[in-house]
Amino acid sequence: MGTSITAGSLLSLAVTVTSEQHVERVLRKTVEGLASQPGVALVRIWLVPSVHLPNAWREGAHSQEGKEHLRLVASAGNPIKSPGEDWSFLQGRFSRFKLNVGKVGQVAANRHPIFIKDFAPGDSWVAQPEWAQREEIRSFAGHPLLFQEKLLGVIGLFSRRPLEEQEFAWLGLFANHAAIAIANARAFEEVAERQKAEAEARELANGLESKIRRLVEANVVGIAIWNLEGAITEANEAFLRMLQYDHQDLASGRVRWTVLTPSEWRDSDERAIAELKATGIFQPYEKEFLRKDRSRVPVLLGGALFERSGNEGVAFILDLSEQKRAERALRRSEVFLAEGQRLGQIGSYSWRVATDEITWSEQLYRIYEFEIGAPVTLELIRSRVHPEDLTLYEKMVEQARNGGSNLGGNFEWQYRLMMPDHSIKHLHAVARASRDQDGQLEYIAAIQDVTARRMSEEARDKARSELAHVARVMSLGTLAASIAHEINQPLAGIVTNASTCQRMLAAAQPNIDGALETSRRTIRDANRASEVITRLRALFNRKETAAEWVDLNEATREVIALSLSGLQTNQVLVREELADDLPPVLGDRIQLQQVILNLLRNAADAMSTIADRPRVLLVRTERDEGNQVRLSVKDSGVGFTPQAADKIFEGFYTTKPDGMGIGLSVSRSIIEAHHGRLWATLNDGPGSTFSFAIPYTVDGLAGAENRVNRVGTGAT
Amino acid sequence: MQSPDGRGITQRPMVAIIDDDASVRESLPDLLGEFGFSSTVFSSAEEFLASEAVDQMNCLVADIAMPGMTGLDLQKELRIRGHKVPVIFITAQKEEAVRRRALDGGAMGFLVKPFSDTALLEALNAALGLD
């Protein structure tokens, strides 16, 4: 090794570094190569930011920092006083230089080299005089790194021997080469980075492409490639299937955007194209496409241009038929519900108790006669409530606010509204408590306008009383038939006997004995007919309905005799069990017979549908405890339900399809007028028994007197 | 004993009288006897059906409204059993619906009580094919 830096060694180093393609290696080899030259203590390179910051280099612009700062990027040297020190260290006090500051800053600012051949001991401009002294630094050479007149940085060299002028000059030439090497290496790196970026982009694109291909082939959504002229160049199966086209149609160019779009949707398409041209994409919107058969399919459409300023793009198309159908079905069911509510005169509402938020159905507005859509408040509802029902209404609201726990959360009540024209509406409300999604108390209620029903109930009651009159007339008709039967029976005997008598006497040999017998029968039957007529007259003559002593057995027999034919027609077998020792009762014979007749008829009616057992009717009279006589009518009919037991004596209650339901209530009032009672019990077997009991004596004397009379009557 | 037409007792037409009314059962046999018919009385349809007479009668004179089996029930029962014996109904209740049912069921007469002897004789003659 020589004692000075030679041109040859520098040329060799220059060739080495210029072959490097990485800036970092150029810098390292440069400083290390120079540091190994004779007498060299330390070599450093500072670069401007535009060079050491790759982006700044690429952009070709100087940052603010670049104008003012140099950054230490490479360092190498040979410490003698402290051999362990690392002089390749890049941080610390001299890692940055401002332009014009220090020797390095001056070189950069002036783009002019500085050469200090030999330091004077204690030279004031040396930044670290003690370091320079300790390391025996004698000389400094600083050269700018210039490439195509652009400053890349500064290279500085400290030497332990005074450098020759020639050495300084060669170092200048070397600095030019180093600058070229740095620029070249940077250029290589740029290319490599760009290639790498491009490779990454390619890889990314490949990945994306395969993802898109999977999306296209999955046929979950319709996908079409199109251009701004309206042609559809490619499409997946889903798209074609949606619109009933095939790949041949597509290849033929027939499938164009305009062909697919009904005229009223052209405007929407125009807007989407305008958006595409402005932003490269368009926001998804709903439209309709025409299928090949010209039917329509609702779709959701979204898409983008492949390139911002390009002509071609992709569209994603979702078939909305199912959603639309569901929406229509929902709308229809809402309409049906509203219609059902209208027909049923039923409105519904929900009431969130905490917020008093009330939602009303349209029909409820109609019922309350509020303008549809008007906000509904409890106060507004209250204004319609009938004054007499306000207390009830407020009580219900209060209970509802408390959760209605005492009512199990369910309410049912009837109340009235008074409309502005003072007409009355009857409402029936049913409400159910529930918790909404926030856990708040909410009532769902249905309210029915039952005014019409109430009116018809009232009308029905009125009709019933009219019908009751008709029923009375009709029962007279039945009675008339009974009367005819009772009289015609003896009359048949009379006519037959009289005819026979006539024939016996008119014969060639008159049969006198036979004629006498038949005429005797004629007289007897005529008397019998007369008795029937007398009884009937008694039955209908109201003048004789005053209180009298009535033999209940006799009265019962008469009623049975009168109704027997009707009972027989209905195939009812009548059995009598009449007590021999029955005391007479004081009362209205006709009225009591009406009661008995009514009980018999009810019993017969109760058995009219019985086919699996005999229709047996048992009429029984007997002494009852407490000085009463009791009459009971036992049938084998359908009986009555326990629920009906209390009702059957009420007016207008009936289980018979053609009944009027007045008989038993009238009967009970008759019996009660006789200080007795009328009741019904279910039999152990089938059917029921209706009974009445009447006191037969007010005091012992009256009863005794009465018995004497009866005996006397019976004797005549 | 000879009937007015001179036929012997065994040749007299046999008529069954079925009625729950005692006065009819009492009076009608005498009248039928005057007509020259032999008769047997029954107080119910059930009694008649249970008797041997059911196969021997040339004609029935039956009430309609009777306890238990009615006259119309009897008519139906005979039809079911294949008896073609003619039936004349006598009833105390003139009801058109009943009359129509009886005649539709094949009754040869429908007499409302009280009926005249000649009406009964005409009905019997028609039923027995004697005129």
Side-chain angles (χ1 to χ4, degrees), chain A residues 125-142:
Chain A
W125 62 266
V126 176
Q128 285 184 297
E130 53 293 358
W131 170 78
Q133 200 166 356
R134 189 171 68 239
E135 289 290 340
E136 298 169 10
I137 304 300
R138 299 287 299 275
S139 187
F140 171 78

Side-chain angles (χ1 to χ4, degrees), chain A residues 454-472:
Chain A
R454 281 297 177 87
M455 305 269 266
S456 72
E457 278 169 7
E458 284 168 13
R460 191 181 66 189
D461 288 348
K462 188 158 170 272
R464 270 194 169 170
S465 64
E466 286 166 2
L467 283 169
H469 174 70
V470 173
R472 275 192 290 274

Side-chain angles (χ1 to χ4, degrees), chain A residues 152-411:
Chain A
L152 304 184
V154 174
I155 184 166
L157 184 148
F158 295 88
S159 169
R160 289 197 173 90
R161 61 176 174 82
L163 291 170
E164 299 297 326
E165 292 287 343
Q166 189 61 52
E167 287 175 307
F168 176 70
W170 285 330
L171 280 173
L173 285 175
F174 176 78
N176 288 341
H177 282 283
I180 290 166
I182 291 169
N184 281 342
R186 173 57 74 207
F188 272 120
E189 285 180 354
E190 281 293 313
V191 170
E193 277 174 21
R194 196 177 298 137
Q195 283 174 341
K196 189 181 168 200
E198 281 171 1
E200 282 173 356
R202 252 195 320 276
E203 199 176 321
L204 194 68
N206 285 340
L208 199 60
E209 196 185 325
S210 68
K211 280 177 187 162
I212 290 172
R213 193 180 303 117
R214 274 201 296 279
L215 181 65
V216 169
E217 287 167 358
N219 285 314
V220 175
V221 293
I223 295 170
I225 311 292
W226 43 264
N227 61 35
L228 286 176
E229 280 78 53
I232 292 172
T233 52
E234 278 182 64
N236 69 346
E237 279 296 332
F239 179 82
L240 293 171
R241 208 163 48 227
M242 198 186 301
L243 299 174
Q244 301 170 337
Y245 288 102
D246 56 31
H247 286 286
Q248 281 186 328
D249 294 320
L250 196 65
S252 74
R254 274 197 293 272
V255 188
R256 293 184 62 80
W257 212 252
T258 45
V259 173
L260 297 177
T261 302
S263 56
E264 69 266 30
W265 292 100
R266 299 263 159 82
D267 287 350
S268 314
D269 285 0
E270 290 300 323
R271 277 196 296 277
I273 288 168
E275 194 183 341
L276 263 179
K277 285 177 174 168
T279 65
I281 63 165
F282 61 91
Q283 292 303 310
Y285 65 102
E286 288 185 22
K287 65 172 283 185
E288 284 178 318
F289 274 135
L290 288 168
R291 294 196 185 91
K292 196 174 183 179
D293 68 1
R294 310 316 281 167
S295 64
R296 292 177 178 223
V297 54
V299 295
L300 179 69
L301 185 69
L305 285 169
F306 285 130
E307 288 170 66
R308 180 78 172 267
S309 55
N311 184 40
E312 209 178 28
V314 63
F316 300 91
I317 303 102
L318 201 60
D319 187 341
L320 294 182
S321 301
E322 274 310 310
Q323 285 92 324
K324 293 288 175 190
R325 255 194 291 282
E327 279 173 25
R328 273 198 301 276
L330 185 63
R331 268 202 299 278
R332 205 160 44 229
S333 67
E334 280 170 354
V335 169
F336 281 160
L337 181 63
E339 185 68 3
Q341 291 200 344
R342 193 182 66 74
L343 287 173
Q345 295 274 297
I346 298 172
S348 56
Y349 73 83
S350 71
W351 170 34
R352 287 174 183 233
V353 176
T355 58
D356 272 346
E357 190 183 330
I358 298 173
T359 311
W360 272 36
S361 79
E362 191 179 307
Q363 186 57 29
L364 205 49
Y365 279 103
R366 290 186 205 286
I367 291 173
Y368 272 74
E369 294 176 19
F370 292 141
E371 192 184 328
I372 289 172
V376 178
T377 62
L378 286 175
E379 194 49 40
L380 187 66
I381 298 170
R382 190 183 180 282
S383 68
R384 283 280 196 263
V385 175
H386 192 287
E388 290 173 20
D389 291 348
L390 265 180
T391 316
L392 169 73
Y393 171 77
E394 278 161 3
K395 204 172 109 198
M396 295 309 289
V397 170
E398 190 56 36
Q399 285 184 346
R401 278 199 191 282
N402 297 333
S405 51
N406 53 330
L407 297 167
N410 293 329
F411 292 86

Side-chain angles (χ1 to χ4, degrees), chain B:
Chain B
M1 189 174 170
Q2 289 282 306
S3 70
D5 59 6
R7 287 184 294 191
I9 287 174
T10 51
Q11 292 167 320
R12 287 175 145 205
M14 296 280 285
V15 178
I17 298 165
I18 306 157
D19 199 317
D20 63 320
D21 190 273
S23 70
V24 170
R25 295 201 299 275
E26 182 185 55
S27 58
L28 261 191
D30 287 345
L31 183 60
L32 291 183
E34 289 301 310
F35 291 157
F37 302 134
S38 174
S39 62
T40 318
V41 295
F42 301 91
S43 62
S44 73
E46 289 91 338
E47 189 192 338
F48 167 69
L49 287 171
S51 73
E52 293 178 355
V54 72
D55 293 321
Q56 299 160 2
M57 294 296 131
N58 300 106
C59 182
L60 305 185
V61 175
D63 189 16
I64 286 189
M66 292 184 287
M69 189 180 254
T70 67
L72 294 176
D73 293 337
L74 173 62
Q75 183 184 32
K76 197 181 353 177
E77 179 64 23
L78 290 171
R79 189 166 60 240
I80 290 166
R81 293 191 187 186
H83 288 292
K84 295 205 166 58
V85 61
V87 180
I88 295 165
F89 285 115
I90 53 173
T91 178
Q93 267 177 320
K94 185 179 179 181
E95 268 186 63
E96 183 53 32
V98 176
R99 194 182 80 92
R100 197 176 307 124
R101 274 182 63 197
L103 296 178
D104 288 350
M108 293 303 292
F110 189 90
L111 305 175
V112 179
K113 298 175 186 175
F115 45 84
S116 70
D117 53 349
T118 50
L120 179 62
L121 184 59
E122 279 173 22
L124 284 166
N125 285 337
L128 294 165
L130 298 175
D131 47 1

Side-chain angles (χ1 to χ4, degrees), chain A residues 575-619:
Chain A
R575 279 168 48 205
E576 298 174 9
E577 283 181 20
L578 306 179
D580 289 330
D581 60 344
L582 202 68
V585 293
L586 190 64
D588 186 331
R589 179 194 180 92
I590 302 302
Q591 285 190 354
L592 291 174
Q593 285 185 313
Q594 279 180 351
V595 172
I596 298 167
L597 181 67
N598 188 247
L599 297 184
L600 291 179
R601 192 174 294 152
N602 282 347
D605 289 343
M607 294 188 289
S608 62
T609 58
I610 303 301
D612 61 340
R613 56 182 182 264
R615 299 175 183 178
V616 180
L617 193 159
L618 173 64
V619 184

Side-chain angles (χ1 to χ4, degrees), chain A residues 32 50 96 116 149 161 220 222 249 305 359 370 414 440 444 462 519 526 544 597 599 634 643 650 656 669:
Chain A
E32 285 174 356
S50 59
R96 285 169 176 230
I116 298 167
E149 297 182 5
R161 61 176 174 82
V220 175
D249 294 320
L305 285 169
T359 311
F370 292 141
Q414 304 212 359
Q440 293 294 314
I444 308 292
K462 188 158 170 272
S519 63
E544 294 179 25
L597 181 67
L599 297 184
K634 180 181 178 186
Q643 295 92 315
E650 289 172 15
K656 304 174 200 167
S669 55

